[in-house]
Amino acid sequence: MNVKQRTIKAPVAVSGTGLHTGERVTMTFNPAPENHGFKFRRVDLEGSPIIDADVDNVTDTSRGTTLTQNGASVSTVEHVLAALVGLEFDNVLVDLDGPETPIMDGSSMPFVDALLEAGYQEQDADREYYHIPYNIHYSETDRKVEMVAMPLDDDYRFTCMVDYNSPVLGTQHATISSIAEFKKEVASCRTFCFLHELEMLMKHNLIKGGDINNAIVVVDKHVDAEELAHLAKLFNREDIDVAPQGILNNIELRYQNEPARHKLLDMIGDLALVGVPLRGHIMAARPGHAANVAFAKKIKALIKKERSRKHVKVYNPNAKPVYDTVQIMEILPHRPPMLLVDKILELTKTHVVGLKAVTMNEPFFVGHFPGAPVMPGVLQIEAMAQTGGILVLNTVPDPENWLTLFLKIENARFKDKVLPGDTLIFRCDLIAPIRRGIAQMKGIGMVGEKIVVEAELMAQIVKYK
């Protein structure tokens, strides 16, 4: 049974203070269209730049997870993303009027409450899960980090173990057997830090919005009355003491293993950066933001690799084309000998398939290994780009007045020769939505069932008439 994507019914806002910046910030969750995913928008900056919740945009994991894109950043995103994933939303645009999400009480529960207040809105498109196909391992021997994602067809399950070599915390475990348990078992669990870390952060002015009400402070050393008085003054309190559980007595633990549950919460939020809903069982020992992000990158790379393989299919070169050569010349400014696409076989909003019939009459064969003619790799990439150009130009009403220019070519690989008599078929798929005329595409070139060339392209259309 297919599950439909969903967003929220109406905008809803929460306000609070950023933990590290100390700035007051209002964050608004907004409904978003199908296949939009999670994105942050900095409404306080010129142009309101958008930052995709994508692992490739992570720029810092030292004290939370920070994303940067389009000249803008947003910090401490993990608690917000955990709430969105935990409530199984697919498409939400998050507006912020500051550089950091509000810390609130240090958990995801305030965001969960706001999202539940907004309500669910089912959408027409089906949710496409990525099912973990086999055990995917990640480890860091120096930090004794071990993570593994295992196949699980029908749910998203987490198991987490933490061990801080601390007599107070000891070794803790936390687990949920289904993502549906997130709200009850995980959402309210707050972030934590050790007293020596808190003192260091305060000394270097790194938690300007810090308040011991938004974190569990673990006391891992002897603290005398003078130091407790100093802490009380620092946090504008009459007095502070150490509770029997080995934490500052300003708050009570919501669960005996609340720190482990919060680490599980962080994992859920950081793994949202893979960009697709997952089906599998995630097990981790001693995880942290850096390890979570590295693990998310490994899973995303596998997804990209598998999706590129799925596109390898045999196309009928004699099928009625979407565009023939004459129609292509009405869109592209290229002309022989630099027009390298003969037909467009498929065209949607997210992919395009083009055909190039390679004959001995090609002018480049005259000088490129004339005794053993091989199509130059750079011209294969050019033909791929022209095919992708049709996809991008299809977004404007007057494509004949626009040019498609390369911005970047990455991961180009040439896997076999292309010879006279071959029919070269290109498929280009958008990696991300087209924004401001800029398209990021994964392209492959096939002869029959064999991939002969592949590359990731970034191009921009510019008006020239």
Side-chain angles (χ1 to χ4, degrees):
M1 178 180 170
N2 291 337
V3 177
K4 296 296 183 182
Q5 294 181 22
R6 60 187 185 181
T7 186
I8 56 176
K9 279 185 179 180
V12 63
V14 294
S15 295
T17 303
L19 175 62
H20 302 295
T21 61
E23 294 185 18
R24 186 76 179 174
V25 60
T26 295
M27 183 171 67
T28 304
F29 296 102
N30 298 286
E34 297 166 355
N35 303 312
H36 175 278
F38 305 138
K39 302 179 192 294
F40 294 89
R41 181 167 59 187
R42 285 289 302 277
V43 296
D44 58 317
L45 300 179
E46 184 178 355
S48 298
I50 289 177
I51 306 161
D52 294 331
D54 188 298
V55 69
D56 292 337
N57 292 331
V58 175
T59 51
D60 188 19
T61 55
S62 57
R63 299 187 308 275
T65 301
T66 298
L67 303 174
T68 303
Q69 188 182 21
N70 297 319
S73 293
V74 57
S75 301
T76 324
V77 299
E78 60 275 8
H79 301 169
V80 177
L81 293 173
L84 292 168
V85 172
L87 295 180
E88 297 186 81
F89 285 106
D90 300 279
N91 307 301
V92 177
L93 176 62
V94 185
D95 283 344
L96 284 157
D97 63 2
E100 185 180 15
T101 67
I103 188 64
M104 310 305 284
D105 70 346
S107 78
S108 289
M109 188 55 81
F111 309 131
V112 166
D113 290 339
L115 290 164
L116 291 176
E117 178 187 334
Y120 297 101
Q121 178 65 56
E122 190 172 276
Q123 298 174 291
D124 291 334
D126 291 334
R127 180 183 297 160
E128 293 188 20
Y129 294 99
Y130 178 69
H131 293 259
I132 300 297
Y134 48 78
N135 287 3
I136 304 169
H137 293 273
Y138 176 81
S139 64
E140 295 178 9
T141 54
D142 55 333
R143 299 183 185 180
K144 298 182 180 179
V145 174
E146 294 285 344
M147 304 182 80
V148 60
M150 299 180 292
L152 182 70
D153 284 340
D154 59 351
D155 219 320
Y156 196 21
R157 183 179 299 170
F158 283 86
T159 301
C160 177
M161 183 276 284
V162 295
D163 179 7
Y164 288 91
N165 194 28
S166 162
V168 176
L169 283 185
T171 300
Q172 293 190 0
H173 293 81
T175 185
I176 54 172
S177 59
S178 169
I179 195 66
E181 297 175 6
F182 174 83
K183 177 180 177 291
K184 180 182 177 183
E185 302 293 338
V186 177
S188 65
C189 295
R190 296 156 296 183
T191 192
F192 65 96
C193 68
F194 292 95
L195 180 59
H196 71 270
E197 293 176 321
L198 177 67
E199 290 171 329
M200 184 275 293
L201 292 169
M202 294 294 294
K203 182 179 178 181
H204 291 87
N205 204 26
L206 294 175
I207 51 170
K208 299 174 184 176
D211 184 294
I212 49 176
N213 281 338
N214 51 39
I216 300 164
V217 180
V218 180
V219 182
D220 54 342
K221 62 175 186 176
H222 174 71
V223 185
D224 57 29
E226 184 179 346
E227 188 169 356
L228 287 172
H230 172 68
L231 288 171
K233 183 178 179 182
L234 204 59
F235 290 107
N236 298 314
R237 294 183 174 274
E238 290 185 8
D239 63 89
I240 288 178
D241 205 345
V242 180
Q245 301 97 321
I247 64 172
L248 291 186
N249 71 340
N250 59 298
I251 57 177
E252 292 184 5
L253 290 177
R254 291 170 177 167
Y255 300 91
Q256 178 272 329
N257 63 340
E258 188 170 352
R261 293 184 189 225
H262 184 81
K263 281 295 183 181
L264 194 153
L265 183 157
D266 281 343
M267 270 204 302
I268 293 172
D270 287 334
L271 290 181
L273 299 171
V274 170
V276 295
L278 300 175
R279 281 284 183 254
H281 185 180
I282 311 296
M283 298 186 70
R286 305 172 188 87
H289 293 300
N292 295 343
V293 167
F295 193 41
K297 285 185 176 181
K298 191 168 186 177
I299 296 172
K300 183 183 176 182
L302 179 62
I303 293 172
K304 288 176 69 174
K305 187 175 182 180
E306 288 196 0
R307 284 182 172 175
S308 68
R309 285 176 182 162
K310 288 178 184 177
H311 295 152
V312 179
K313 71 175 187 178
V314 178
Y315 293 90
N316 178 9
N318 298 314
K320 184 178 179 181
V322 178
Y323 297 134
D324 59 23
T325 307
V326 174
Q327 291 168 315
I328 288 172
M329 288 193 292
E330 291 175 356
I331 300 171
L332 294 180
H334 307 78
R335 295 295 180 267
M338 283 305 297
L339 180 64
L340 299 174
V341 186
D342 298 325
K343 295 179 182 179
I344 297 297
L345 301 178
E346 289 183 8
L347 180 62
T348 70
K349 290 182 178 180
T350 58
H351 87 277
V352 61
V353 178
L355 178 150
K356 165 67 179 169
V358 182
T359 74
M360 191 58 199
N361 297 325
E362 304 290 351
F364 47 77
F365 284 140
V366 175
H368 197 258
F369 307 154
V374 176
M375 184 176 181
V378 291
L379 293 183
Q380 294 176 42
I381 296 293
E382 173 62 26
M384 180 188 293
Q386 290 182 20
T387 302
I390 294 287
L391 174 60
V392 189
L393 289 166
N394 194 47
T395 64
V396 295
D398 55 342
E400 67 279 2
N401 296 327
W402 296 72
L403 294 175
T404 308
L405 304 177
F406 268 134
L407 296 180
K408 187 163 57 175
I409 304 170
E410 290 185 321
N411 301 319
R413 294 182 178 87
F414 303 96
K415 301 189 171 186
D416 209 341
K417 298 187 292 293
V418 178
L419 307 173
D422 285 343
T423 298
L424 187 53
I425 292 179
F426 295 98
R427 174 167 178 144
C428 294
D429 286 83
L430 290 179
I431 297 174
I434 296 173
R435 190 172 292 115
R436 299 190 180 109
I438 296 176
Q440 299 178 65
M441 296 173 282
K442 166 72 176 180
I444 58 173
M446 298 166 285
V447 174
E449 296 183 8
K450 182 183 291 186
I451 294 180
V452 295
V453 59
E454 63 181 11
E456 293 177 14
L457 311 175
M458 181 183 288
Q460 182 176 25
I461 56 171
V462 297
K463 203 159 192 176
Y464 78 106
K465 284 186 181 179

